[in-house]
Amino acid sequence: MTGHGLGHGLGHGLGVAVAAVGQTPPETTRQAVGYPALFLLVALGALVPVIPTGALVSTAAVVAFHQRSLPFGVLLVFGVAAVAAFAGDLALYWLGQRGVRSRGGSRWLEALRGRATPERLAQAQRKLDEHGVLVLVVSRLVPAGRIPVMLACLLARLPLRRFARGDAPACLAWAATYCLIGILGGSLFPEPWKGVALAVAVTLLISGAPSLWRRLRSR
């Protein structure tokens, strides 16, 4: 093949490849990247509480609300968020159990102790004694309520299987709540970014309200 013929063949092949890439639906591409990223971030957020997982789920729900796949997209956000939160909770509980069983403890157990004040832990232990694993549902919805209740379950040596039975409906309720916030933001504004801004503001307000209230009461 001559150089001219080879160049023409390569040019034609590149043109076909570029055309094929250009035919990929942008929405499909976003879904292929977005849902795994949502799962990873929510699961990591359950382990390391520096990721605003509620805001992430609400933002994803706003975006899904404005896509043509409604209601499938919102339901998928709900499912991914619930499963990711459940997986993260189970992983953290398993790591905490290792610390409880070990004589020297573990850094995960110490991290859980450091994130739960003695007063919150004592309250969580009373609630656990009164209501059993059902208290996990409420703890998932109350800001900063998840860790004290999880630590109370660990100190009570609750088996992982029993913890999972209570945590599953808790994660479903949590995912549904923040998806509803996202749907609300998406339905109020035709532009997705405005709905995202409202959803993030609401979730941050919910997460910060208890600590602000405690500070005001202490003054």
Side-chain angles (χ1 to χ4, degrees):
M1 181 180 290
T2 65
H4 176 73
L6 179 61
H8 178 74
L10 288 173
H12 178 70
L14 288 173
V16 172
V18 170
V21 173
Q23 291 174 358
T24 303
E27 185 173 327
T28 304
T29 305
R30 288 196 300 268
Q31 290 175 353
V33 176
Y35 291 121
L38 177 65
F39 180 91
L40 180 62
L41 289 173
V42 171
L44 285 176
L47 289 169
V48 185
V50 296
I51 301 174
T53 52
L56 284 173
V57 174
S58 296
T59 298
V62 172
V63 175
F65 182 85
H66 284 280
Q67 290 177 349
R68 286 174 290 181
S69 56
L70 190 73
F72 176 75
V74 175
L75 291 176
L76 194 54
V77 169
F78 164 73
V80 169
V83 173
F86 184 65
D89 281 356
L90 290 189
L92 184 59
Y93 194 79
W94 179 77
L95 291 169
Q97 275 187 321
R98 294 185 63 185
V100 171
R101 294 169 182 168
S102 174
R103 291 182 179 179
S106 70
R107 64 185 185 90
W108 289 101
L109 182 61
E110 291 305 315
L112 288 173
R113 288 183 183 273
R115 286 153 53 187
T117 63
E119 294 79 11
R120 299 291 299 273
L121 176 59
Q123 183 182 14
Q125 289 173 323
R126 288 195 301 269
K127 295 293 184 183
L128 182 63
D129 292 338
E130 294 171 2
H131 306 289
V133 293
L134 290 177
V135 73
L136 287 167
V137 178
V138 179
S139 73
R140 251 291 178 179
L141 299 176
V142 175
R146 181 176 68 100
I147 295 302
V149 172
M150 182 181 290
L151 183 57
C153 292
L154 285 168
L155 297 179
R157 296 186 178 270
L158 205 69
L160 179 62
R161 183 176 298 179
R162 189 179 173 194
F163 174 82
R165 286 201 298 266
D167 194 56
C171 292
L172 290 172
W174 174 83
T177 299
Y178 284 100
C179 277
L180 287 174
I181 293 174
I183 292 172
L184 175 64
S187 62
L188 290 177
F189 301 102
E191 297 88 355
W193 71 267
K194 292 183 180 179
V196 168
L198 177 63
V200 170
V202 171
T203 54
L204 292 179
L205 180 64
I206 291 173
S207 61
S211 60
L212 179 61
W213 174 250
R214 286 194 297 269
R215 288 180 183 178
L216 293 175
R217 288 186 62 186
S218 63
R219 290 182 178 179

